[in-house]
Amino acid sequence: MKRGLMWMSAGPCLVLAVVSAWWTVGNGLWPPDEVTLSEAVATRNNAEAVRLIANGANPNQPGYVRDGLLTNGYAVTVKPIEAAVGAQRADSVQMLLNNGASVDQEELTVLRCLEQVRHDSGVSELLAAQSTSAGDCTGVRSPLERVR
């Protein structure tokens, strides 16, 4: 009788363990986020960003970023490197550069001007290493500005 009671109480635990193992094998512990590469960077999720790049995401392709992540009151479509600078994430900037993000002089000026508004010393150092010229921000449109 005691043995039967023991199995009855252990049964739900065994079922839960089997279902959990099945779910983990089929889906992983956490399902991947449904975000663009730009949004992964904006949410400071470098692991998801690296996963997206490994699965073919282009680190130079602009992507949608929801309202409230980089801006307040509107969503934006920005390049991942712009999202990294806007989110003040030197580690994300470096990760993107290491994974194929290309930055020409025009884009570098935009990034340096954006960094001057967002102020992050780590980002500033990384961008300064890309170019010695300070760049003039007169007339440079921020990628985070609302487009009407």
Side-chain angles (χ1 to χ4, degrees):
M1 184 68 175
K2 284 187 176 183
R3 185 169 264 210
L5 187 58
M6 180 184 75
W7 281 109
M8 284 179 57
S9 63
C13 294
L14 291 172
V15 169
L16 180 61
V18 168
V19 170
S20 295
W22 170 77
W23 178 265
T24 300
V25 168
N27 300 305
L29 289 177
W30 292 276
D33 289 340
E34 295 295 326
V35 296
T36 65
L37 180 55
S38 295
E39 194 163 275
V41 170
T43 58
R44 297 166 168 85
N45 191 345
N46 281 353
E48 180 66 10
V50 169
R51 188 190 74 77
L52 289 168
I53 292 169
N55 287 336
N58 182 346
N60 298 302
Q61 180 70 40
Y64 179 82
V65 178
R66 290 173 284 164
D67 170 26
L69 297 177
L70 293 174
T71 58
N72 290 319
Y74 56 97
V76 292
T77 299
V78 295
K79 293 180 181 178
I81 195 109
E82 295 167 343
V85 173
Q88 304 165 309
R89 299 296 299 191
D91 57 330
S92 297
V93 171
Q94 188 63 60
M95 179 274 300
L96 289 164
L97 292 172
N98 291 345
N99 284 283
S102 60
V103 179
D104 61 17
Q105 278 306 123
E106 182 179 334
E107 178 69 10
L108 185 59
T109 300
V110 169
L111 295 175
R112 292 186 80 169
C113 294
L114 178 57
E115 188 282 324
Q116 288 177 15
V117 174
R118 296 287 174 126
H119 303 295
D120 183 272
S121 61
V123 171
S124 180
E125 290 173 17
L126 283 171
L127 296 177
Q130 300 290 315
S131 171
T132 55
S133 66
D136 180 16
C137 293
T138 305
V140 175
R141 184 181 119 5
S142 168
L144 303 183
E145 285 179 21
R146 185 176 209 156
V147 179
R148 295 175 195 253

